[in-house]
Amino acid sequence: MREAAFVRQNKDKWLRFENVLLGNNNALTPDELSALYLEVTDHLSYARTFYPESKTTQYLNHLASRSHQKIYKTKRESSRRFITFFTEEFPLLMYRYQRELLLSFLVFALFCVVGAYSAATDGAYVRSIMGDAYVNMTLENIAQNDPMRVYKEMNEVEMFLGITVNNIKVALIAFIYGVLFSIGSLFIMMRNGVMLGSFQYFFYDKGLLWESVRTIWIHGTIEISVIVIAGAAGLVLGNGILFPGTYSRLESFKRSMKDGLKIVVSTIPFFIIAGFLEGFVTRHTEMPDWLAIVIISLSLLLILFYYVLYPRIAYKKHQIQLHERLH
C-alpha cells in the first residue's frame, strides 16, 4: 500500500487516539482504548517495515511511546502531572471554552452597569446590597480621612487565609450552581456584578472613585477575574447537561463536570495571589499611584495571557505539531 493511502485510511483513528491521550476524549471504554492501542502499535510495525524513514513512522512511534507512558506511567511522571496540567493540558482545554468565558464576563459586566445605575437612582440601594453595618463603617472611615481603613484592621496572615478560603468557596458555588442548567452560575455573576457596580458608585458619589479603584483593584483585578472564570466553569457544566450532542446526557454531564472542575482548579493559584495581595499589599494605601497602576496592569495582563491568549498559542502549536507528524 502506498504511504499516502495508508495515512488517509488510518488518520482519523490516530487523531482519535491522540485526543484520548490529551484528555480531550474520554468516552472510550477500557476495552476500546486497549483495542485502539493495539491497532496503533500494529500500524507502527507495518510502517517500520514499508516506510522505515518516513514521518508517518516517526509520528506513530511518538504516539505509541506516549500511550505506553500514559498507560504504564511511573511515579516520577505522576509528580510532573501538576506542572503539565497548567502548561499543556489546561490551555488546550480552555481554548474550547472561550465562548463560555466571554458570556460569563458579559453578564458580569452588564450587571455591574445595572448595579451602578441602581445606586445612582436610588439612595437606599447601596445599603440594601452592602448592608447598613458595612456602609456605616465606610462612612465613618471616610469621615476620619481613611476610606480604605477596612483593609488595615485585620492581621495580614489572618486576612490572607480568610480571604483566600472565602474566594475559593465563592468560585466553587459559581461552578456548582451551573448544574441548574447554567442559570445558577449566571445568577452568581449577576449578584456579584450588581454588588461591584453599586459599591464602586458609592465611592464615586463620595468623590473617592480613584482612591477606591487604585486600592481595591490591586487585589480585585485577579479576584474578580477568577470569579468570572469560575462562572464560565459553571456554564461548561450546565451546557453539558443542556446540549449533550452525540453523547448520552449522563456521559455529557460527566465530561462537562470534569472539564468545569479543571477550570476551577486552575483558578486556585490565582486566588492565592489575590489573597496575598489583599492581605499584605492593599493595606498600604500610602503607596504611590504609579506602583498601584503597575500592580493592577500586571495582574490584568497575567489573567488575559493565561486564560485568553495562551490557550490560542497552545492550540496553534498543537495543530502545527499534528500537521508536521502526518505530512
Side-chain angles (χ1 to χ4, degrees):
M1 183 186 299
R2 295 177 62 86
E3 183 178 357
F6 176 70
V7 171
R8 188 165 53 251
Q9 179 178 318
N10 299 293
K11 180 179 178 179
D12 289 341
K13 292 179 182 178
W14 302 339
L15 290 177
R16 186 185 181 199
F17 191 53
E18 181 151 23
N19 279 329
V20 172
L21 296 180
L22 290 172
N24 295 332
N25 184 352
N26 296 314
L28 297 178
T29 65
D31 288 340
E32 290 173 328
L33 181 60
S34 176
L36 199 53
Y37 171 71
L38 292 175
E39 193 168 11
V40 167
T41 54
D42 286 341
H43 291 165
L44 174 59
S45 298
Y46 182 90
R48 281 174 172 169
T49 301
F50 295 99
Y51 329 113
E53 302 298 327
S54 71
K55 287 190 174 181
T56 301
T57 303
Q58 294 175 16
Y59 169 73
L60 289 172
N61 185 63
H62 173 78
L63 192 59
S65 298
R66 285 184 58 190
S67 60
H68 185 274
Q69 291 170 3
K70 188 174 184 69
I71 295 171
Y72 305 102
K73 59 184 177 180
T74 63
K75 292 183 178 180
R76 182 178 179 184
E77 290 168 333
S78 298
S79 68
R80 293 188 64 251
R81 182 76 166 78
F82 179 81
I83 298 174
T84 57
F85 170 79
F86 286 98
T87 59
E88 298 175 14
E89 179 182 344
F90 176 74
L92 288 175
L93 173 74
M94 195 64 212
Y95 177 82
R96 291 157 44 194
Y97 296 118
Q98 293 295 298
R99 286 184 299 178
E100 285 81 355
L101 178 59
L102 178 61
L103 177 58
S104 181
F105 168 75
L106 290 176
V107 170
F108 181 84
L110 171 64
F111 282 96
C112 279
V113 175
V114 170
Y117 177 78
S118 299
T121 54
D122 182 355
Y125 187 77
V126 174
R127 289 183 177 274
S128 68
I129 295 295
M130 307 304 297
D132 287 332
Y134 187 85
V135 172
N136 291 337
M137 177 192 68
T138 304
L139 288 173
E140 183 179 338
N141 290 339
I142 292 172
Q144 296 176 2
N145 202 32
D146 192 4
M148 299 294 114
R149 182 181 175 183
V150 65
Y151 296 106
K152 308 173 186 177
E153 294 180 343
M154 190 181 297
N155 171 271
E156 287 95 332
V157 175
E158 290 179 359
M159 190 172 188
F160 161 60
L161 294 175
I163 291 295
T164 300
V165 171
N166 181 71
N167 287 338
I168 292 173
K169 286 181 180 178
V170 173
L172 287 173
I173 291 172
F175 167 58
I176 293 170
Y177 272 33
V179 78
L180 301 174
F181 306 106
S182 294
I183 296 174
S185 295
L186 293 178
F187 171 76
I188 298 297
M189 294 304 99
M190 178 194 75
R191 188 177 68 178
N192 281 274
V194 166
M195 289 177 62
L196 178 62
S198 60
F199 182 69
Q200 287 286 202
Y201 183 84
F202 173 75
F203 283 101
Y204 167 78
D205 189 51
K206 302 301 178 184
L208 294 167
L209 179 62
W210 172 243
E211 178 68 18
S212 68
V213 167
R214 71 177 294 281
T215 303
I216 296 167
W217 288 90
I218 286 175
H219 63 271
T221 302
I222 293 179
E223 182 180 286
I224 295 299
S225 296
V226 288
I227 287 176
V228 170
I229 292 162
L235 293 179
V236 170
L237 173 60
N239 290 348
I241 301 172
L242 291 171
F243 312 109
T246 59
Y247 300 101
S248 69
R249 202 169 297 276
L250 177 60
E251 181 62 33
S252 179
F253 169 72
K254 290 191 292 186
R255 288 166 56 83
S256 62
M257 169 70 81
K258 183 178 179 180
D259 287 351
L261 190 57
K262 286 180 179 179
I263 295 173
V264 174
V265 168
S266 78
T267 66
I268 292 177
F270 292 95
F271 275 127
I272 293 172
I273 294 172
F276 174 83
L277 289 173
E278 186 165 359
F280 292 90
V281 181
T282 299
R283 65 180 57 241
H284 296 288
T285 56
E286 74 284 357
M287 75 170 64
D289 286 352
W290 67 264
L291 181 55
I293 292 171
V294 167
I295 296 173
I296 293 169
S297 299
L298 289 177
S299 298
L300 180 60
L301 289 174
L302 175 62
I303 291 294
L304 289 176
F305 174 77
Y306 189 67
Y307 284 97
V308 179
L309 180 59
Y310 186 52
R312 287 170 168 77
I313 294 173
Y315 177 77
K316 288 180 180 179
K317 181 180 178 182
H318 176 63
Q319 291 300 103
I320 291 172
Q321 290 173 341
L322 286 180
H323 181 78
E324 289 177 347
R325 292 171 192 160
L326 293 174
H327 295 86

